[in-house]
Amino acid sequence: MSDDFNMSMRKFLKQVGVTSQQAIENAVREAAPASGKTYKVKAVITIEELGLEHVVNGEIEG
């Protein structure tokens, strides 16, 4: 893979990580106290042109 591709992909993934963390933190802050709670989380990355749908499931503990 080219350097341009790698840099572009890393930039996108960094944006996904940062903006997702901010959205999750805001949602938890606005909800009831999160202490001791576990939230099921699901992230989906799609690239329609490539027929890619990547799903990651996990949990976040409050």
Side-chain angles (χ1 to χ4, degrees), residues 19-43:
T19 59
S20 297
Q21 181 176 349
Q22 291 170 344
I24 292 166
E25 287 173 349
N26 288 338
V28 169
R29 195 175 298 116
E30 292 175 6
S35 182
K37 283 191 161 189
T38 300
Y39 299 98
K40 292 183 180 180
V41 63
K42 174 179 165 181

Side-chain angles (χ1 to χ4, degrees), residues 3 22 49:
D3 288 342
Q22 291 170 344
E49 295 86 355

Side-chain angles (χ1 to χ4, degrees), residues 39-45 53-60:
Y39 299 98
K40 292 183 180 180
V41 63
K42 174 179 165 181
V44 181
I45 301 283
E53 182 173 299
H54 178 71
V55 179
V56 178
N57 291 294
E59 294 182 344
I60 297 174

